[in-house]
Amino acid sequence: MTSPDYSPFAHLTAPNSALYRRVMRAFLAAKERFAVHLRPEDVFAALDADARPGDVESVVKALDSLVGWGNLRADPDHARVTAVEDFYRRRFIYQLTRAGEAAEAALGTYDATLGRRGELQAVALHDIVTQLRALLVIAQEDEPDPAKAHIALSVLTARFTDLADNAHAFMGSLQRTIDLHDIEVEAFLAYKDRLIQYLERFIQDLITLGGRIALLIGELEEQGRVEPLLALAAGREAADAAPEEAKRAEAVAYERWAARWSGLAQWFVSEEERESQARLLRGRALGAIPQLLSVVRQLNERRAGRSDRSADFRTLARWFAQAPDDETRHRLWRVAFGLHSSRHLTVDADTLAERAAAPEPAATPWGKARPLRISPQLRRTGSYERRGKPRRVADRGEAKRRLAELAARQTAEAGRARDRLATGGPVRLSRLGELDPVAFQLFLRLLGDALATWRPGMTTTTATSSDGSMEIRLTALDDGTTAEVHTPDGVFSGPDHLIDIVDLTATGETGEDG
């Protein structure tokens, strides 16, 4: 197998590459108008006036270079031959080659992907719910209509593909925004409030609608209705195939639809050893909010004039490099780091000569050493400050120890409360048993988070605690029973529900299914 030829991309790194790109775009625009061949004069006229070369010859040179790289094909232009002398003139018409057209298509995809910001499509979640419900209705028919099944599956996969692609692009652009690449400080500060509200709104929709989508997918798969619907869609796609290729075309179409459905299910439904993409997306969006707030805090510190130590040292190094002589550098060193002699013990030439003539051993005690004579003028003209007894340094070791013990005790209590509430699977609320005050407070917070996502007509909801350590799945029961939870402070009672509480700190999970 021969290796592919990538010479049609050579014009991207060649000198004058901007002109080559404009020339190729002119050929693509002409192709959309069903114009196959272009003369140099046509290309010259198609270029923008502000980016057009000074003469046609520059365009001819660019066209010849593109022909050499395989982007264009040149054919003799016999239409304008009117005399024998015209045969000896170099006249060509140009058209796109397959390689040149493929290269431009790849570059167009590259430019579109690079400039794409993406979005979190809450509307797509509603559309997916609608199409899944439509599939349930179609599957319940005695003889499902292939056209209806095919259209519903087509719309479902299209909306799901848009949702996944846009979410991926949005989270990538969001991370670039957090990293402060190519963004002004004022623009970011004005943008962050709207961005945080946008994230919170999508997270709320993902919690409610994602769980509903996971339930609908489970209902379709549990009742064995997915495979017949996929077979109907595959058969309708292969209806126009040649008779000898009908079975193979239908098998290929079925595999393609099965892969699409598997991607949809894995995006919204988690398994034991695999988290769903919806859960990962929600965790990533939740994590982006504190990161945005951290960036805002850093920007505010910069605007307030604060700087870190590394910036101070870089400034000091620049001052050292700009100092005119060593004396100035020594003075800068003493001022910056406080390494200077005692100002009241000035040593002059006479003192140095005396010390050199009769040196004082370093091991001589202070009481036996020769006294240092200080001029009385220092006392008359020098500064004098009355100093009192220095303040004692407060020992805060005991307070720190008590705070550490308190933090450790609270952490242990929270861990025991999580262990107590983890159900290990769905159980009735009435079987939760007696709870101590710490576990009961944590249970109330979890229950409040779950009820905050409850909407009319819902029977099941899933929520995660604000710190991301616990997850609760709450399912309403229609048997009219009442549950009681006993605590040392009293009895908590209400309609019985089916609950499933998971300790995410023990399992390493970050969100809920869908």
Side-chain angles (χ1 to χ4, degrees), residues 283-514:
R284 181 66 187 85
L286 283 172
I289 295 177
Q291 291 182 23
L292 286 169
L293 297 178
S294 176
V295 171
V296 172
R297 183 169 58 253
Q298 295 175 8
L299 292 176
N300 288 331
E301 290 180 355
R302 293 180 188 177
R303 299 176 75 189
R306 302 180 183 178
S307 60
D308 55 11
R309 181 163 297 181
S310 60
D312 294 339
F313 281 128
R314 285 193 296 269
T315 302
L316 184 60
R318 186 168 60 253
W319 290 350
F320 273 107
Q322 296 173 353
D325 49 39
D326 287 343
E327 182 180 356
T328 304
R329 296 186 184 95
H330 286 300
R331 187 166 62 252
L332 178 60
W333 175 271
R334 290 192 296 270
V335 172
F337 298 101
L339 300 178
H340 47 72
S341 61
S342 300
R343 299 175 183 175
H344 64 287
L345 297 177
T346 304
V347 178
D348 53 15
D350 296 337
T351 304
L352 292 176
E354 182 181 355
R355 292 288 181 177
E360 192 77 47
T364 304
W366 282 82
K368 297 181 180 180
R370 288 175 297 169
L372 183 62
R373 304 299 178 180
I374 300 176
S375 172
Q377 185 179 2
L378 177 63
R379 186 166 56 185
R380 291 195 305 268
T381 60
S383 63
Y384 177 76
E385 180 181 356
R386 183 179 298 275
R387 299 182 181 275
K389 184 179 179 181
R391 297 179 59 184
R392 296 182 58 185
V393 178
D395 184 6
R396 305 188 184 277
E398 182 64 22
K400 292 181 179 179
R401 185 187 62 80
R402 290 197 300 268
L403 289 175
E405 290 178 353
L406 178 61
R409 184 168 64 253
Q410 291 176 347
T411 301
E413 291 177 352
R416 288 192 296 269
R418 289 195 299 268
D419 293 340
R420 171 64 181 84
L421 290 177
T423 58
V427 298
R428 281 180 172 266
L429 181 59
S430 56
R431 299 184 59 186
L432 197 58
E434 185 174 353
L435 299 178
D436 60 77
V438 177
F440 183 64
Q441 291 297 325
L442 178 58
F443 169 72
L444 287 181
R445 289 196 296 269
L446 281 172
L447 188 60
D449 293 337
L451 294 178
T453 64
W454 201 275
R455 296 292 183 273
M458 294 177 58
T459 58
T460 300
T461 186
T462 305
T464 305
S465 60
S466 58
D467 60 356
S469 63
M470 301 288 290
E471 177 185 274
I472 179 172
R473 182 186 293 274
L474 189 66
T475 303
L477 300 176
D478 56 0
D479 54 4
T481 57
T482 301
E484 292 185 352
V485 178
H486 294 267
T487 70
D489 298 326
V491 178
F492 175 82
S493 62
D496 201 3
H497 285 71
L498 196 65
I499 62 171
D500 183 7
I501 301 178
V502 181
D503 182 3
L504 300 181
T505 61
T507 61
E509 296 178 350
T510 58
E512 80 281 355
D513 292 346

Side-chain angles (χ1 to χ4, degrees), residues 125 129 204-215 268-269 278 512-514:
L125 294 171
V129 171
Q204 186 71 21
D205 290 335
L206 189 60
I207 292 173
T208 57
L209 297 177
R212 195 178 307 171
I213 291 172
L215 291 175
F268 287 99
V269 181
E512 80 281 355
D513 292 346

